[in-house]
Amino acid sequence: MDVKKVKRTMKVGPKKDKTLYGLQWVNYGNVGSEALLQEVEAATTLSDSDADLLVKEFARVVIGYVANGHNVDLGVLGTLSPKISAKAVDSEKDCTAQTISSIGVLYRSRQELADDAKAMSITMLSSSSSSATDGGDEGNDNGNDNGGGNNGDGGDLVG
Amino acid sequence: MSTKNEILYKPKQKKVFGKERWVATMVSKKQISLETIISDVAKNTTGQPGEVSGMLRAYLGRIRTHLLEGEAVKIEGLGTFYPRLSTRFVEDPAKVSVGECIKGVMIGFRPEQKLVAVVKKSNLRKFTGKENETEE
């Protein structure tokens, strides 16, 4: 995994307005379904269009179960399930569906994958060698780990 | 698979800022195994179960490999899996190094809008205790 040096000006907290320096994951772009299907061609006798339909059906089936409140096992990747956030109330009888403020999706990585991720080798790029998309807003000192997708705002590349 | 999507919740007593309060918590229905997913996919496509199983397991295996190579992978309709860093920022730019600034590497997931929209439309029902479910 490649990381690059970034700087960030803190907007809140005891270090407000201070510029801090850290590292950010370098995302070279997502690997998409088409590329994956080409890679698994050898594992199947299905035609390209059938394999494509199969992957779409897989996503549809998983969505159906997650939306119906199930925890879905994705094999080597881990599990997906729905998650809820709710406001705290003083009595049990007030604890109704109306207190639920948001519904989302929770991913838990499989332990073996989490262990292998921890052991990944990390390369720090020199400041001018990256042409990739920002990795996103990774976790900070407070233990927040919020991002890592395509369009992060984790900081400015240090030149 | 039921056509009426339903997410179960139950009140749970929790200490919030030192005070005992009640919070609605998720009750997860039984876990759906990868075998069940494969079987459902095989029923709805022209693939034989063995063929579907081999292909989907290889597909998930490739996603894992890409993630461990530091790449993000998008599954159309579901979302994007990506390597996620837990980092520490320092005041002195000269002190920036992998050992100093990276506390851990995890795998994250960002659901696609379509998945979030479907889940948000699910009905919320209070857990009665009769269902064979597990509390989150």
Side-chain angles (χ1 to χ4, degrees), chain A residues 109-126:
Chain A
S109 64
R110 199 182 176 101
Q111 193 57 52
E112 291 91 333
L113 177 58
D115 291 342
D116 287 346
K118 279 181 201 156
M120 268 166 84
S121 76
I122 300 171
T123 306
M124 190 167 107
L125 300 180
S126 60

mmCIF file with all atom_site columns, all heavy atoms in Angstrom, chain A residues 109-126:
data_model
loop_
_atom_site.group_PDB
_atom_site.id
_atom_site.type_symbol
_atom_site.label_atom_id
_atom_site.label_alt_id
_atom_site.label_comp_id
_atom_site.label_asym_id
_atom_site.label_entity_id
_atom_site.label_seq_id
_atom_site.pdbx_PDB_ins_code
_atom_site.Cartn_x
_atom_site.Cartn_y
_atom_site.Cartn_z
_atom_site.occupancy
_atom_site.B_iso_or_equiv
_atom_site.pdbx_formal_charge
_atom_site.auth_seq_id
_atom_site.auth_comp_id
_atom_site.auth_asym_id
_atom_site.auth_atom_id
_atom_site.pdbx_PDB_model_num
ATOM 1   N N   . SER A 1 109 ? -15.158 -6.712  8.866  1.00 0.00 ? 109 SER A N   1
ATOM 2   C CA  . SER A 1 109 ? -14.254 -7.542  8.067  1.00 0.00 ? 109 SER A CA  1
ATOM 3   C C   . SER A 1 109 ? -14.006 -8.869  8.791  1.00 0.00 ? 109 SER A C   1
ATOM 4   O O   . SER A 1 109 ? -14.069 -8.935  10.022 1.00 0.00 ? 109 SER A O   1
ATOM 5   C CB  . SER A 1 109 ? -12.940 -6.815  7.800  1.00 0.00 ? 109 SER A CB  1
ATOM 6   O OG  . SER A 1 109 ? -12.261 -6.594  8.997  1.00 0.00 ? 109 SER A OG  1
ATOM 7   N N   . ARG A 1 110 ? -13.759 -9.903  8.018  1.00 0.00 ? 110 ARG A N   1
ATOM 8   C CA  . ARG A 1 110 ? -13.445 -11.209 8.594  1.00 0.00 ? 110 ARG A CA  1
ATOM 9   C C   . ARG A 1 110 ? -12.114 -11.100 9.342  1.00 0.00 ? 110 ARG A C   1
ATOM 10  O O   . ARG A 1 110 ? -11.226 -10.359 8.921  1.00 0.00 ? 110 ARG A O   1
ATOM 11  C CB  . ARG A 1 110 ? -13.336 -12.224 7.449  1.00 0.00 ? 110 ARG A CB  1
ATOM 12  C CG  . ARG A 1 110 ? -13.458 -13.655 7.869  1.00 0.00 ? 110 ARG A CG  1
ATOM 13  C CD  . ARG A 1 110 ? -13.276 -14.542 6.658  1.00 0.00 ? 110 ARG A CD  1
ATOM 14  N NE  . ARG A 1 110 ? -13.299 -15.929 7.059  1.00 0.00 ? 110 ARG A NE  1
ATOM 15  C CZ  . ARG A 1 110 ? -14.364 -16.714 6.912  1.00 0.00 ? 110 ARG A CZ  1
ATOM 16  N NH1 . ARG A 1 110 ? -15.465 -16.238 6.383  1.00 0.00 ? 110 ARG A NH1 1
ATOM 17  N NH2 . ARG A 1 110 ? -14.314 -17.973 7.287  1.00 0.00 ? 110 ARG A NH2 1
ATOM 18  N N   . GLN A 1 111 ? -11.988 -11.823 10.432 1.00 0.00 ? 111 GLN A N   1
ATOM 19  C CA  . GLN A 1 111 ? -10.794 -11.703 11.277 1.00 0.00 ? 111 GLN A CA  1
ATOM 20  C C   . GLN A 1 111 ? -9.498  -11.954 10.493 1.00 0.00 ? 111 GLN A C   1
ATOM 21  O O   . GLN A 1 111 ? -8.521  -11.218 10.640 1.00 0.00 ? 111 GLN A O   1
ATOM 22  C CB  . GLN A 1 111 ? -10.898 -12.662 12.466 1.00 0.00 ? 111 GLN A CB  1
ATOM 23  C CG  . GLN A 1 111 ? -9.869  -12.395 13.547 1.00 0.00 ? 111 GLN A CG  1
ATOM 24  C CD  . GLN A 1 111 ? -9.940  -10.964 14.090 1.00 0.00 ? 111 GLN A CD  1
ATOM 25  O OE1 . GLN A 1 111 ? -10.990 -10.495 14.477 1.00 0.00 ? 111 GLN A OE1 1
ATOM 26  N NE2 . GLN A 1 111 ? -8.809  -10.253 14.068 1.00 0.00 ? 111 GLN A NE2 1
ATOM 27  N N   . GLU A 1 112 ? -9.514  -12.979 9.635  1.00 0.00 ? 112 GLU A N   1
ATOM 28  C CA  . GLU A 1 112 ? -8.303  -13.302 8.851  1.00 0.00 ? 112 GLU A CA  1
ATOM 29  C C   . GLU A 1 112 ? -7.931  -12.139 7.939  1.00 0.00 ? 112 GLU A C   1
ATOM 30  O O   . GLU A 1 112 ? -6.746  -11.826 7.761  1.00 0.00 ? 112 GLU A O   1
ATOM 31  C CB  . GLU A 1 112 ? -8.514  -14.561 7.985  1.00 0.00 ? 112 GLU A CB  1
ATOM 32  C CG  . GLU A 1 112 ? -8.627  -15.841 8.774  1.00 0.00 ? 112 GLU A CG  1
ATOM 33  C CD  . GLU A 1 112 ? -10.067 -16.182 9.153  1.00 0.00 ? 112 GLU A CD  1
ATOM 34  O OE1 . GLU A 1 112 ? -10.903 -15.251 9.283  1.00 0.00 ? 112 GLU A OE1 1
ATOM 35  O OE2 . GLU A 1 112 ? -10.350 -17.372 9.341  1.00 0.00 ? 112 GLU A OE2 1
ATOM 36  N N   . LEU A 1 113 ? -8.941  -11.502 7.369  1.00 0.00 ? 113 LEU A N   1
ATOM 37  C CA  . LEU A 1 113 ? -8.682  -10.353 6.482  1.00 0.00 ? 113 LEU A CA  1
ATOM 38  C C   . LEU A 1 113 ? -8.146  -9.179  7.300  1.00 0.00 ? 113 LEU A C   1
ATOM 39  O O   . LEU A 1 113 ? -7.183  -8.510  6.895  1.00 0.00 ? 113 LEU A O   1
ATOM 40  C CB  . LEU A 1 113 ? -9.974  -9.961  5.742  1.00 0.00 ? 113 LEU A CB  1
ATOM 41  C CG  . LEU A 1 113 ? -9.908  -8.740  4.833  1.00 0.00 ? 113 LEU A CG  1
ATOM 42  C CD1 . LEU A 1 113 ? -8.838  -8.893  3.754  1.00 0.00 ? 113 LEU A CD1 1
ATOM 43  C CD2 . LEU A 1 113 ? -11.259 -8.484  4.174  1.00 0.00 ? 113 LEU A CD2 1
ATOM 44  N N   . ALA A 1 114 ? -8.749  -8.954  8.459  1.00 0.00 ? 114 ALA A N   1
ATOM 45  C CA  . ALA A 1 114 ? -8.287  -7.858  9.335  1.00 0.00 ? 114 ALA A CA  1
ATOM 46  C C   . ALA A 1 114 ? -6.833  -8.095  9.754  1.00 0.00 ? 114 ALA A C   1
ATOM 47  O O   . ALA A 1 114 ? -6.019  -7.166  9.751  1.00 0.00 ? 114 ALA A O   1
ATOM 48  C CB  . ALA A 1 114 ? -9.190  -7.767  10.563 1.00 0.00 ? 114 ALA A CB  1
ATOM 49  N N   . ASP A 1 115 ? -6.513  -9.347  10.079 1.00 0.00 ? 115 ASP A N   1
ATOM 50  C CA  . ASP A 1 115 ? -5.141  -9.683  10.492 1.00 0.00 ? 115 ASP A CA  1
ATOM 51  C C   . ASP A 1 115 ? -4.158  -9.467  9.337  1.00 0.00 ? 115 ASP A C   1
ATOM 52  O O   . ASP A 1 115 ? -3.070  -8.921  9.530  1.00 0.00 ? 115 ASP A O   1
ATOM 53  C CB  . ASP A 1 115 ? -5.056  -11.139 10.973 1.00 0.00 ? 115 ASP A CB  1
ATOM 54  C CG  . ASP A 1 115 ? -5.795  -11.348 12.292 1.00 0.00 ? 115 ASP A CG  1
ATOM 55  O OD1 . ASP A 1 115 ? -6.071  -10.346 12.982 1.00 0.00 ? 115 ASP A OD1 1
ATOM 56  O OD2 . ASP A 1 115 ? -6.094  -12.509 12.620 1.00 0.00 ? 115 ASP A OD2 1
ATOM 57  N N   . ASP A 1 116 ? -4.568  -9.887  8.131  1.00 0.00 ? 116 ASP A N   1
ATOM 58  C CA  . ASP A 1 116 ? -3.683  -9.711  6.972  1.00 0.00 ? 116 ASP A CA  1
ATOM 59  C C   . ASP A 1 116 ? -3.526  -8.234  6.614  1.00 0.00 ? 116 ASP A C   1
ATOM 60  O O   . ASP A 1 116 ? -2.459  -7.804  6.164  1.00 0.00 ? 116 ASP A O   1
ATOM 61  C CB  . ASP A 1 116 ? -4.218  -10.499 5.766  1.00 0.00 ? 116 ASP A CB  1
ATOM 62  C CG  . ASP A 1 116 ? -4.017  -12.007 5.950  1.00 0.00 ? 116 ASP A CG  1
ATOM 63  O OD1 . ASP A 1 116 ? -3.253  -12.398 6.858  1.00 0.00 ? 116 ASP A OD1 1
ATOM 64  O OD2 . ASP A 1 116 ? -4.626  -12.787 5.207  1.00 0.00 ? 116 ASP A OD2 1
ATOM 65  N N   . ALA A 1 117 ? -4.600  -7.455  6.814  1.00 0.00 ? 117 ALA A N   1
ATOM 66  C CA  . ALA A 1 117 ? -4.526  -6.008  6.527  1.00 0.00 ? 117 ALA A CA  1
ATOM 67  C C   . ALA A 1 117 ? -3.518  -5.340  7.455  1.00 0.00 ? 117 ALA A C   1
ATOM 68  O O   . ALA A 1 117 ? -2.748  -4.467  7.032  1.00 0.00 ? 117 ALA A O   1
ATOM 69  C CB  . ALA A 1 117 ? -5.902  -5.369  6.668  1.00 0.00 ? 117 ALA A CB  1
ATOM 70  N N   . LYS A 1 118 ? -3.514  -5.759  8.707  1.00 0.00 ? 118 LYS A N   1
ATOM 71  C CA  . LYS A 1 118 ? -2.575  -5.189  9.690  1.00 0.00 ? 118 LYS A CA  1
ATOM 72  C C   . LYS A 1 118 ? -1.128  -5.449  9.287  1.00 0.00 ? 118 LYS A C   1
ATOM 73  O O   . LYS A 1 118 ? -0.230  -4.689  9.626  1.00 0.00 ? 118 LYS A O   1
ATOM 74  C CB  . LYS A 1 118 ? -2.819  -5.801  11.075 1.00 0.00 ? 118 LYS A CB  1
ATOM 75  C CG  . LYS A 1 118 ? -3.967  -5.176  11.818 1.00 0.00 ? 118 LYS A CG  1
ATOM 76  C CD  . LYS A 1 118 ? -4.125  -5.830  13.175 1.00 0.00 ? 118 LYS A CD  1
ATOM 77  C CE  . LYS A 1 118 ? -5.518  -5.613  13.698 1.00 0.00 ? 118 LYS A CE  1
ATOM 78  N NZ  . LYS A 1 118 ? -5.919  -6.619  14.672 1.00 0.00 ? 118 LYS A NZ  1
ATOM 79  N N   . ALA A 1 119 ? -0.916  -6.574  8.582  1.00 0.00 ? 119 ALA A N   1
ATOM 80  C CA  . ALA A 1 119 ? 0.445   -6.963  8.216  1.00 0.00 ? 119 ALA A CA  1
ATOM 81  C C   . ALA A 1 119 ? 0.871   -6.434  6.841  1.00 0.00 ? 119 ALA A C   1
ATOM 82  O O   . ALA A 1 119 ? 1.958   -6.760  6.357  1.00 0.00 ? 119 ALA A O   1
ATOM 83  C CB  . ALA A 1 119 ? 0.541   -8.494  8.233  1.00 0.00 ? 119 ALA A CB  1
ATOM 84  N N   . MET A 1 120 ? 0.014   -5.624  6.203  1.00 0.00 ? 120 MET A N   1
ATOM 85  C CA  . MET A 1 120 ? 0.336   -5.095  4.866  1.00 0.00 ? 120 MET A CA  1
ATOM 86  C C   . MET A 1 120 ? 1.594   -4.243  4.885  1.00 0.00 ? 120 MET A C   1
ATOM 87  O O   . MET A 1 120 ? 1.823   -3.499  5.842  1.00 0.00 ? 120 MET A O   1
ATOM 88  C CB  . MET A 1 120 ? -0.816  -4.197  4.387  1.00 0.00 ? 120 MET A CB  1
ATOM 89  C CG  . MET A 1 120 ? -1.853  -4.903  3.585  1.00 0.00 ? 120 MET A CG  1
ATOM 90  S SD  . MET A 1 120 ? -3.324  -3.885  3.438  1.00 0.00 ? 120 MET A SD  1
ATOM 91  C CE  . MET A 1 120 ? -2.883  -2.873  2.090  1.00 0.00 ? 120 MET A CE  1
ATOM 92  N N   . SER A 1 121 ? 2.368   -4.334  3.818  1.00 0.00 ? 121 SER A N   1
ATOM 93  C CA  . SER A 1 121 ? 3.552   -3.473  3.763  1.00 0.00 ? 121 SER A CA  1
ATOM 94  C C   . SER A 1 121 ? 3.123   -2.085  3.253  1.00 0.00 ? 121 SER A C   1
ATOM 95  O O   . SER A 1 121 ? 2.264   -1.971  2.377  1.00 0.00 ? 121 SER A O   1
ATOM 96  C CB  . SER A 1 121 ? 4.621   -4.088  2.871  1.00 0.00 ? 121 SER A CB  1
ATOM 97  O OG  . SER A 1 121 ? 4.279   -3.931  1.533  1.00 0.00 ? 121 SER A OG  1
ATOM 98  N N   . ILE A 1 122 ? 3.708   -1.070  3.843  1.00 0.00 ? 122 ILE A N   1
ATOM 99  C CA  . ILE A 1 122 ? 3.310   0.314   3.523  1.00 0.00 ? 122 ILE A CA  1
ATOM 100 C C   . ILE A 1 122 ? 4.532   1.070   3.007  1.00 0.00 ? 122 ILE A C   1
ATOM 101 O O   . ILE A 1 122 ? 5.588   1.061   3.633  1.00 0.00 ? 122 ILE A O   1
ATOM 102 C CB  . ILE A 1 122 ? 2.733   1.006   4.771  1.00 0.00 ? 122 ILE A CB  1
ATOM 103 C CG1 . ILE A 1 122 ? 1.497   0.236   5.263  1.00 0.00 ? 122 ILE A CG1 1
ATOM 104 C CG2 . ILE A 1 122 ? 2.382   2.462   4.477  1.00 0.00 ? 122 ILE A CG2 1
ATOM 105 C CD1 . ILE A 1 122 ? 0.967   0.698   6.599  1.00 0.00 ? 122 ILE A CD1 1
ATOM 106 N N   . THR A 1 123 ? 4.350   1.714   1.851  1.00 0.00 ? 123 THR A N   1
ATOM 107 C CA  . THR A 1 123 ? 5.442   2.483   1.261  1.00 0.00 ? 123 THR A CA  1
ATOM 108 C C   . THR A 1 123 ? 5.079   3.962   1.258  1.00 0.00 ? 123 THR A C   1
ATOM 109 O O   . THR A 1 123 ? 4.017   4.335   0.758  1.00 0.00 ? 123 THR A O   1
ATOM 110 C CB  . THR A 1 123 ? 5.680   2.031   -0.209 1.00 0.00 ? 123 THR A CB  1
ATOM 111 O OG1 . THR A 1 123 ? 5.870   0.621   -0.206 1.00 0.00 ? 123 THR A OG1 1
ATOM 112 C CG2 . THR A 1 123 ? 6.874   2.729   -0.823 1.00 0.00 ? 123 THR A CG2 1
ATOM 113 N N   . MET A 1 124 ? 5.956   4.778   1.806  1.00 0.00 ? 124 MET A N   1
ATOM 114 C CA  . MET A 1 124 ? 5.710   6.226   1.803  1.00 0.00 ? 124 MET A CA  1
ATOM 115 C C   . MET A 1 124 ? 6.296   6.802   0.522  1.00 0.00 ? 124 MET A C   1
ATOM 116 O O   . MET A 1 124 ? 7.497   6.677   0.266  1.00 0.00 ? 124 MET A O   1
ATOM 117 C CB  . MET A 1 124 ? 6.352   6.862   3.032  1.00 0.00 ? 124 MET A CB  1
ATOM 118 C CG  . MET A 1 124 ? 5.959   8.297   3.226  1.00 0.00 ? 124 MET A CG  1
ATOM 119 S SD  . MET A 1 124 ? 6.436   8.870   4.869  1.00 0.00 ? 124 MET A SD  1
ATOM 120 C CE  . MET A 1 124 ? 7.796   9.913   4.463  1.00 0.00 ? 124 MET A CE  1
ATOM 121 N N   . LEU A 1 125 ? 5.436   7.406   -0.305 1.00 0.00 ? 125 LEU A N   1
ATOM 122 C CA  . LEU A 1 125 ? 5.898   7.963   -1.569 1.00 0.00 ? 125 LEU A CA  1
ATOM 123 C C   . LEU A 1 125 ? 6.622   9.276   -1.334 1.00 0.00 ? 125 LEU A C   1
ATOM 124 O O   . LEU A 1 125 ? 6.287   10.015  -0.406 1.00 0.00 ? 125 LEU A O   1
ATOM 125 C CB  . LEU A 1 125 ? 4.703   8.219   -2.501 1.00 0.00 ? 125 LEU A CB  1
ATOM 126 C CG  . LEU A 1 125 ? 3.848   7.005   -2.892 1.00 0.00 ? 125 LEU A CG  1
ATOM 127 C CD1 . LEU A 1 125 ? 2.721   7.452   -3.804 1.00 0.00 ? 125 LEU A CD1 1
ATOM 128 C CD2 . LEU A 1 125 ? 4.693   5.947   -3.586 1.00 0.00 ? 125 LEU A CD2 1
ATOM 129 N N   . SER A 1 126 ? 7.557   9.573   -2.226 1.00 0.00 ? 126 SER A N   1
ATOM 130 C CA  . SER A 1 126 ? 8.178   10.899  -2.149 1.00 0.00 ? 126 SER A CA  1
ATOM 131 C C   . SER A 1 126 ? 7.118   11.889  -2.586 1.00 0.00 ? 126 SER A C   1
ATOM 132 O O   . SER A 1 126 ? 6.194   11.559  -3.336 1.00 0.00 ? 126 SER A O   1
ATOM 133 C CB  . SER A 1 126 ? 9.399   10.965  -3.043 1.00 0.00 ? 126 SER A CB  1
ATOM 134 O OG  . SER A 1 126 ? 9.020   10.712  -4.370 1.00 0.00 ? 126 SER A OG  1
#
